[in-house]
Amino acid sequence: MEYKQKNDKALVDMIDIHKYFGSVQVLRGIDFHVDRQEIVGLLGDNGAGKSTLIKVLTGYHSLTRGQIYFDDEAVNIHSPHDARELGIETVHQDLALVPLMSIARNFWLGQEPTYEVGPFRFLDKKKMASESIRALADVGIHIRDSEETVGNMSGGERQSVAIGRAVYFGKKLLILDEPTSALSVGETQKVLDYTIAAKEKGMSVIFITHNIRHVYEVADRFTIIERGHKLGDFHKSEVTENEVADMIVTGQIPERLRLYHGENGEVA
Amino acid sequence: MMQAYIEGKREASTIGSLVTFLAFLFGILGIAIAYGTAFGWIPLGDRAQILRSDVNTIEIIVTVISLVYAACCLRTAYGLYTREQASLRWSQWMMFISVMIGGAILLSVAIPVGLKFSLLLGQVADLRTLISQDAGGLAALSLSIGEGLISICLFIIALLALLALLVFLIPPLEPLRDQPGTRWIVSPPRKFIQAILTVLGIGVICFLVAGAAVVPDYPGQTTIRDAENHRLLAGLLFFLPAFFAYRVVRRVEEQSDELRRALALTPGKFIRAELAKSPSAGAIIGFVAILMGFTMATDLFLEPSSVASFLSNVATKGVIAIGVTYLMISGEFDLSVGSILGVTALSFMNFMTHGAPVFGVVGPIPAALLAIFIAFILGAINGVLLISTRIPSFIVTLGTMLAFRAITLVAIAGGRILRYSDHHEALPVIGISNIVFIVLAIIGLAIVAFTAYRVLPVLYRGAMQAWSIRTDNGDFGTSGAILRGLALLLVLLLLLAIVVWLAAVLSYHGSASGGQIVEVGYFDLFNGRVLAIGEEGDFFHLQIPRNANVRLAIVWWFIFVVIFHIVLTSTSFGNSIFATGGNEGAARAQGVNVDRVKLQNFVIVALLTGIAAIYETARNPGVDPLKGTGWELEVIAMTVIGGALLTGGYGSVVGSLLGALIFGMLQTGLVLVGIESRLFSGTIGVIIIAAVVLNTLVRGARQN
Ligand SMILES: Nc1ncnc2c1ncn2[C@@H]1O[C@H](COP(=O)(O)OP(=O)(O)O)[C@@H](O)[C@H]1O
Ligand SMILES: [Mg+2]
C-alpha cells in the first residue's frame, strides 16, 4: 500500500509542486501522481487549486518550485506544445475553444494538417473538414457542418467538441477539467463513457471536478486538494462516496481514515 | 397559390397565368433593351454625354446582361407554361432580379434629383447673407428663393411619397391565418391607412416627376447627371409588377418536402445567408451602395481618370491596412504606423542624399532595403515592448507614435522638406536587360500553369457534380451547374488572356538582339505611372487614357491583397492569428505561441508600412517631417469598415481592400458631385458607424 514505492510505475509523478502568482501562494507543495491506465479523480472545492495544478502540468503556467516526471523521466514542460509532444491532451475548464472560429479550425488548432507546394505549406482544408466530422462522430457528436462557428453552439455541444478533440489527439494522458459542469445528465454519462473508453485504449485520465457524484463511478483513485495542499489520496476501495464528499466540504480526513494516512495524506 | 397553378387547380390559374405572362413580358423587354443598347438607341455612359459613334464598354456589358436576363425570363415563362416544378424557384429569382433592375432604374433618377435638391437647400441657406451684401440683385434673388422653396417643398413631398410607397409595399403585419379562404387578411385600419397612403403616394410621384423636371434648370451642378425623367416609367414598369409577383410567388404551400425546402430559401434569404458567411458583409453592401450611388449621380465617376485617381490615392494606405487587419485580428492595434511611415520615408530619402551610416550614399534599391529594415526594427520594438511589458497595445503604440515622430522632427530641422532634386541632377535610372523580362515572363507562365493545374480540375469537378445531381434535386441543380460552368469558362479565359500577354512579352523581348537594355526610372519601378499595357501593335495592347493617373502601387497593392488573403485563410499561421485574437488563453492552451504571433504581426505591419513609405516617396521624391501624420486613424477606419473587430478574432484582408476602396470612392466622388470636400471626414464618420452596425447586424443574424 505504499504509494511512494509505486512511483516507478507512475505515468506522471509531480513532486513538491509550488506555484505562486506574485505573493499569492496557490499551490504549496503538492505531490500528485497518475499511474498507467488509471483514472484519477482530482477533487477539491472551488479555488482549491485543481486547475492551477494541471495548468502547471500542461505547461500553461510555469512552476515556482517542484519536479515533474513523465514516463519515468524528469521533464521540463515549458509550453502547452511541450505537453502535447509528450502525449498529454487537455480540456481546460475556461480555455477550451475559440468562439469566432469554425469547428474544424478549432479542432485542428495548433496542429493543422498541411500540404506542401514548393516551399509553402497550406492548410489541408478537405482533411480538416472530413477528419473533424469523423472524429467527433466517433465520440458520439454529430455535427452537420464543420464550417459552423463554435460561438453558435450550445455549451454542451462546445464541451463535447473540446472533449472529442482531446480524445482524438490524446496519446498517453487525458486531462478533463470540470468537463461535466455545463452538461445535462445524458451528456455527462457520455463523457464518463469516453473516459472509460480512453482507459481501455491504454490512456490514463485525470478527471477534475468539485462534484464527486460525477466521477465516483469511473475513477480508480481520488486525490483531494484543499487550499493548495493535498488532503489525501484514496483508492476507491477505501472510501465511500459520502466520505469523499464530506472531505471536499470540510477539508478534514474522517477519524476512520486517519489510521491509514499521515498528515500529508501519505500512508503512515 | 403558384403551386396550385402548377398543379392545374382552376382558382389559381389567373395569377399563375399573370406571372407567366409577366416573365414572358420581361423576357421581351430584356431583348428590346439589349437591341436598343447594341444599336445605340439607348445611349449609356460616355455616349450619353458626348454622342460618340463607337459602342462603349458599358453598352456592351448592358447588352450582354440583358440578353442573359431575357433568356432566363423566357425560359422561366416556358417552364411555368408547361408547369414544370422547378420553374417556381426560377420565377422567384427572375422576379427578384426584375425588382432589383426596376429599383436601380428608379434610383438612377432619384439620386441625381435628391442630390440637386439638397445642394439647392445649401444655396438657399446661404441666401440671407447674400441679400444683406448685395441689394441690387434682390429681385433676382427673391425669385430664386421662391423657386428654391417650391423645390424644397417638392423634395419633402417626394420623400414622403417614397415613404408611403414603402409602407404600402411592406407585408401586412397580420399573420396569415391557416384556414383556407382567409389568407391575405389585413386588419381594417391598416387597410385604410394603406389606401390613403397609396393615393398619396401616386399623387406625390407625379410631384416628384414634376420637381425633377424643374431641377435641371438650376445652374452650377453640371457634373451631376441629368435626371432623365422618362426612366421613371421604365423603372416602375419593372419594379411594381415584379414586386407584386415576387410576393405572390413566395406564398407557397408545397406537398413535397424537397420543394418546400428549396422554395423556403427565397432569393432574399439566400443572399442574406451568403453575406452572413463573410466577415466583411457590411463593407460589401457599403461598397456596392456607394459605387452604385456615385455612378448614378454623375457620369464622371466611372471615367478612367476618376477610377485611377481614387485607386492611386488609397493604394498606399490600403497596403498598410492589410497589416493593420492582421494585427487587429490578433487582438492588438498599432497607432504608430504614421510615424513609422515618416521615419522610413525619411531614411529612404536620407540614404540616397546624405548617405547611410556604413554604406555611404547609396542607390535607390539598397536605400529602399535599408529603410525597410529600419521599419522592421521599429515594428519589432513595438512588438517586444508589448509582449515584455504586457501593457495594452493602445498605450505602447501611442508612446512609440510620439517617439518615432520625434525622429523625423529632429532629423529634418526647421520643418524643411528633404527633396531628392536638391541633391541630384536627375532622377535615378536603371537599365534592365531584356533577359530580365524574358525570365519574368517565364516565371509568370509557370505561375499561371500551376494555378490552372490546381484550380481548373476543382472547378470542372464542381460543375460536373452540380450537373449530375440536378435531376435528384428537382432540376434545381441546373442553374448551379450553369453558373459553375460559367465561372470555369471565365477563369479559363482570364488565364488564357494572361498567357497570351506573357507570350507576347516573351516574343517581343526574345526576338530583340541579346543584351538589349531598356531604361527605366528607379522610382517608376516602385510606383510609376502606367501608360499602356503591352506594346503598340500587340494583340494585347491597352492604351491607358492620358488623364488617368494609374500608379504601379495599385498593382502591388492587389498582389499583396491576394498573397496576404491566402496566408490568412489557408495557412497555419493565419489560423493562429485568428485564435490569438479570438481567445488568447485557448490558443495558448492548444500550443499556439501567441507572443510570437503578435510580434510577427507587429513586424508585418511595420514592413508593409515601410513598403508604403517607399511608394509614397517614389511618387513624390520629397519628405517633410510630418509625413504620415494622421494615417494611423484612417487606416484603422478602413480596417474597421472592412469588418475587422476591434476586440480581435474576426476580419478579412478583402474587407480591408473594400474599406480602402470605400474611402477612396468617397474622397473622389464627393468632389465630383460638388459636395464640399470639407464634408469628407463627416461622411467617413457616418460610414464607419453604419458599416460597423451592418457588420454587427449580419453577424447577429448568423448567430440566431
Ligand atoms: N493567474 C492567476 N493569478 C492569480 N491568482 C490566480 C491565478 N489563477 C488562479 N488564481 C487563484 O488560485 C486559486 C485556485 O484557482 P483554481 O486553480 O482555478 O481553482 P479550482 O480549479 O480548484 O477551482 C484561486 O484562489 C484563484 O484566485
Ligand atoms: Mg478550476
Side-chain angles (χ1 to χ4, degrees):
Chain A
M1 281 274 296
E2 292 253 343
Y3 288 123
K4 275 285 182 192
Q5 285 175 2
K6 281 187 187 169
N7 283 355
D8 51 343
K9 268 180 63 190
L11 176 68
V12 184
D13 200 3
M14 301 174 78
I15 294 171
D16 195 28
I17 301 295
H18 290 256
K19 175 67 198 174
Y20 305 156
F21 291 107
S23 60
V24 187
Q25 307 189 348
V26 177
L27 302 178
R28 288 176 279 185
I30 288 193
D31 296 331
F32 176 65
H33 70 278
V34 182
D35 289 342
R36 291 194 168 80
Q37 254 190 306
E38 186 187 34
I39 301 178
V40 178
L42 182 58
L43 303 167
D45 212 346
N46 278 332
K50 310 181 292 292
S51 299
T52 309
L53 181 66
I54 59 107
K55 278 180 185 168
V56 165
L57 174 60
T58 55
Y60 191 84
H61 288 323
S62 59
L63 271 176
T64 307
R65 183 143 51 95
Q67 181 61 52
I68 301 175
Y69 294 90
F70 192 86
D71 256 350
D72 304 325
E73 272 175 53
V75 287
N76 285 315
I77 302 174
H78 291 298
S79 73
H81 185 75
D82 295 347
R84 192 170 243 178
E85 295 281 285
L86 291 174
I88 304 175
E89 278 293 327
T90 317
V91 178
H92 286 283
Q93 181 179 11
D94 47 353
L95 307 166
L97 301 174
V98 185
L100 284 168
M101 285 169 72
S102 70
I103 296 174
R105 278 171 183 260
N106 261 297
F107 190 89
W108 291 98
L109 183 57
Q111 44 193 341
E112 296 89 351
T114 52
Y115 61 88
E116 278 174 33
V117 178
F120 307 109
R121 312 175 98 223
F122 296 106
L123 293 181
D124 188 348
K125 289 185 188 167
K126 228 182 261 168
K127 183 178 174 194
M128 282 171 72
S130 59
E131 276 285 284
S132 59
I133 290 182
R134 199 184 58 72
L136 291 176
D138 275 354
V139 292
I141 309 149
H142 297 281
I143 50 173
R144 285 146 290 173
D145 182 5
S146 67
E147 283 308 305
E148 200 180 321
T149 34
V150 165
N152 294 352
M153 305 171 81
S154 74
E157 283 175 314
R158 273 188 234 187
Q159 190 72 329
S160 307
V161 170
I163 294 172
R165 174 176 71 185
V167 170
Y168 179 78
F169 290 112
K171 295 186 195 73
K172 294 187 174 161
L173 178 64
L174 183 63
I175 302 177
L176 305 173
D177 191 353
E178 309 256 4
T180 50
S181 52
L183 301 187
S184 66
V185 177
E187 286 169 328
T188 303
Q189 193 52 50
K190 233 193 257 171
V191 172
L192 298 179
D193 291 345
Y194 312 144
T195 313
I196 293 173
K199 178 184 168 185
E200 276 160 9
K201 274 200 290 181
M203 283 198 268
S204 302
V205 181
I206 302 175
F207 196 113
I208 300 176
T209 178
H210 61 272
N211 187 346
I212 176 68
R213 219 143 291 139
H214 289 162
V215 75
Y216 189 81
E217 177 191 334
V218 295
D220 301 313
R221 187 161 56 84
F222 307 103
T223 298
I224 303 172
I225 47 181
E226 220 272 313
R227 273 184 272 140
H229 288 293
K230 184 159 87 173
L231 194 67
D233 244 335
F234 305 95
H235 265 282
K236 186 144 93 178
S237 53
E238 296 172 336
V239 285
T240 65
E241 191 178 327
N242 280 339
E243 277 170 335
V244 177
D246 278 346
M247 278 188 276
I248 295 172
V249 175
T250 61
Q252 304 224 315
I253 304 177
E255 204 63 43
R256 181 175 77 77
L257 294 166
R258 274 193 211 153
L259 288 175
Y260 305 102
H261 291 82
E263 274 302 291
N264 293 326
E266 300 301 331
V267 173
Chain B
M1 185 102 40
M2 287 300 286
Q3 174 66 13
Y5 167 72
I6 294 283
E7 280 163 8
K9 297 217 178 94
R10 178 125 17 97
E11 72 275 13
S13 62
T14 330
I15 288 185
S17 319
L18 266 177
V19 174
T20 312
F21 175 69
L22 209 57
F24 178 70
L25 192 72
F26 283 156
I28 301 294
L29 267 177
I31 293 178
I33 293 173
Y35 184 80
T37 323
F39 291 93
W41 293 352
I42 310 175
L44 295 168
D46 275 350
R47 189 157 15 170
Q49 281 208 318
I50 354 154
L51 273 173
R52 284 205 311 227
S53 53
D54 54 337
V55 180
N56 60 34
T57 352
I58 296 182
E59 288 181 341
I60 294 174
I61 293 172
V62 169
T63 309
V64 171
I65 290 179
S66 13
L67 274 181
V68 173
Y69 170 74
C72 295
C73 279
L74 290 178
R75 175 71 183 85
T76 308
Y78 178 74
L80 285 171
Y81 182 69
T82 55
R83 320 219 153 171
E84 279 175 58
Q85 289 276 347
S87 60
L88 275 181
R89 188 160 152 81
W90 301 341
S91 59
Q92 273 186 341
W93 271 98
M94 290 330 295
M95 292 308 138
F96 183 78
I97 292 169
S98 308
V99 169
M100 291 289 146
I101 293 176
I105 298 175
L106 287 179
L107 277 179
S108 74
V109 181
I111 288 178
V113 171
L115 259 176
K116 288 190 175 185
F117 269 128
S118 44
L119 288 172
L120 212 68
L121 281 180
Q123 277 182 9
V124 172
D126 278 348
L127 279 183
R128 235 178 280 151
T129 50
L130 272 178
I131 290 168
S132 60
Q133 288 167 4
D134 177 21
L138 203 65
L141 282 175
S142 65
L143 182 70
S144 62
I145 290 178
E147 282 178 30
L149 284 180
I150 293 175
S151 313
I152 295 165
C153 293
L154 280 177
F155 180 58
I156 292 170
I157 295 172
L159 272 184
L160 277 177
L162 282 177
L163 212 73
L165 204 67
L166 282 180
V167 173
F168 170 62
L169 291 174
I170 54 171
L173 288 177
E174 281 286 282
L176 292 171
R177 306 266 161 76
D178 279 343
Q179 299 96 325
T182 54
R183 295 152 155 211
W184 296 104
I185 276 192
V186 180
S187 59
R190 199 182 154 77
K191 207 171 190 175
F192 182 66
I193 294 172
Q194 279 192 344
I196 290 182
L197 286 177
T198 311
V199 173
L200 194 69
I202 292 171
V204 169
I205 287 175
C206 301
F207 268 115
L208 178 68
V209 177
V214 178
V215 175
D217 298 338
Y218 282 93
Q221 304 305 339
T222 44
T223 54
I224 298 181
R225 186 198 295 275
D226 285 339
E228 294 169 16
N229 301 322
H230 55 269
R231 290 198 203 175
L232 278 178
L233 195 64
L236 288 175
L237 204 63
F238 270 103
F239 188 81
L240 286 178
F243 193 89
F244 175 72
Y246 181 58
R247 307 241 334 116
V248 171
V249 177
R250 269 172 49 172
R251 303 187 180 285
V252 276
E253 284 137 33
E254 270 62 44
Q255 265 66 52
S256 91
D257 268 359
E258 220 162 65
L259 199 59
R260 188 173 322 130
R261 225 177 303 125
L263 285 176
L265 196 68
T266 58
K269 275 189 200 154
F270 176 79
I271 289 174
R272 227 174 302 150
E274 285 298 309
L275 271 182
K277 281 184 196 159
S278 159
S280 39
I284 294 173
I285 296 169
F287 176 77
V288 172
I290 291 172
L291 180 68
M292 297 287 274
F294 279 127
T295 310
M296 287 167 178
T298 163
D299 283 322
L300 300 180
F301 188 68
L302 276 191
E303 284 285 300
S305 58
S306 315
V307 176
S309 105
F310 82 68
L311 284 177
S312 301
N313 282 342
V314 293
T316 41
K317 283 175 192 155
V319 170
I320 304 176
I322 296 173
V324 171
T325 304
Y326 266 44
L327 197 57
M328 213 180 270
I329 294 174
S330 65
E332 304 293 338
F333 62 65
D334 191 345
L335 289 176
S336 67
V337 288
S339 300
I340 294 180
L341 184 102
V343 174
T344 316
L346 173 71
S347 316
F348 177 50
M349 191 53 76
N350 210 34
F351 295 160
M352 289 184 298
T353 55
H354 293 84
V358 184
F359 304 92
V361 174
V362 288
I365 288 193
L369 290 178
L370 283 175
I372 290 174
F373 178 70
I374 286 181
F376 166 84
I377 291 175
L378 298 184
I381 289 177
N382 274 337
V384 169
L385 271 179
L386 182 96
I387 60 182
S388 58
T389 60
R390 312 256 161 218
I391 305 173
S393 55
F394 181 87
I395 311 286
V396 169
T397 57
L398 183 68
T400 52
M401 169 178 100
L402 299 170
F404 295 162
R405 177 59 66 196
I407 300 176
T408 46
L409 288 174
V410 169
I412 315 181
R416 282 183 306 111
I417 294 180
L418 186 61
R419 280 204 187 79
Y420 191 83
S421 53
D422 291 347
H423 296 264
H424 296 276
E425 300 259 293
L427 292 178
V429 178
I430 180 182
I432 299 179
S433 155
N434 61 344
I435 314 277
V436 175
F437 290 104
I438 294 174
V439 170
L440 282 179
I442 289 173
I443 292 175
L445 281 174
I447 293 176
V448 170
F450 180 75
T451 320
Y453 162 73
R454 295 228 50 119
V455 173
L456 291 182
V458 176
L459 285 176
Y460 176 75
R461 251 179 279 129
M464 276 336 222
Q465 217 170 1
W467 183 253
S468 67
I469 60 167
R470 74 195 189 282
T471 37
D472 313 340
N473 204 5
D475 246 6
F476 297 138
T478 316
S479 50
I482 291 172
L483 279 181
R484 279 164 207 235
L486 281 178
L488 180 68
L489 204 67
L490 270 181
V491 172
L492 204 64
L493 281 178
L494 190 73
L495 289 179
L496 260 180
I498 298 175
V499 166
V500 169
W501 177 58
L502 287 175
V505 171
L506 206 57
S507 79
Y508 178 85
H509 289 284
S511 62
S513 52
Q516 189 199 18
I517 305 292
V518 184
E519 294 241 308
V520 186
Y522 263 115
F523 292 155
D524 290 343
L525 217 53
F526 298 135
N527 190 11
R529 263 190 79 166
V530 183
L531 298 171
I533 294 172
E535 307 294 335
E536 194 105 32
D538 271 0
F539 175 66
F540 246 80
H541 178 66
L542 181 65
Q543 186 72 43
I544 288 170
R546 287 277 225 58
N547 58 353
N549 187 3
V550 180
R551 290 284 172 166
L552 216 50
I554 301 172
V555 180
W556 296 130
W557 177 29
F558 287 148
I559 292 176
F560 280 130
V561 165
V562 171
I563 293 174
F564 280 86
H565 176 75
I566 292 173
V567 169
L568 187 63
T569 56
S570 307
T571 66
S572 317
F573 177 56
N575 212 23
S576 40
I577 292 177
F578 278 110
T580 301
N583 184 346
E584 196 178 323
R588 219 153 78 70
Q590 291 305 309
V592 174
N593 189 341
V594 297
D595 285 345
R596 196 173 66 198
V597 168
K598 287 185 175 177
L599 181 61
Q600 280 167 333
N601 280 341
F602 271 105
V603 167
I604 287 175
V605 174
L607 287 178
L608 286 173
T609 310
I611 291 170
I614 306 296
Y615 294 155
E616 277 293 302
T617 323
R619 180 173 174 175
N620 173 17
V623 180
D624 75 290
L626 291 177
K627 179 96 210 157
T629 315
W631 280 38
E632 54 281 331
L633 292 182
E634 284 185 30
V635 172
I636 288 176
M638 290 173 184
T639 312
V640 168
I641 291 176
L645 281 186
L646 217 54
T647 45
Y650 203 66
S652 79
V653 173
V654 178
S656 81
L657 170 79
L658 291 175
L661 288 178
I662 287 177
F663 233 78
M665 288 196 302
L666 280 176
Q667 232 165 7
T668 306
L670 288 182
V671 174
L672 287 182
V673 298
I675 293 178
E676 276 202 65
S677 53
R678 278 181 288 169
L679 281 178
F680 170 66
S681 71
T683 323
I684 283 288
V686 173
I687 295 284
I688 291 177
I689 294 175
V692 174
V693 167
L694 260 176
N695 285 334
T696 319
L697 281 181
V698 172
R699 247 202 339 278
R702 185 177 52 175
Q703 232 103 78
N704 293 333

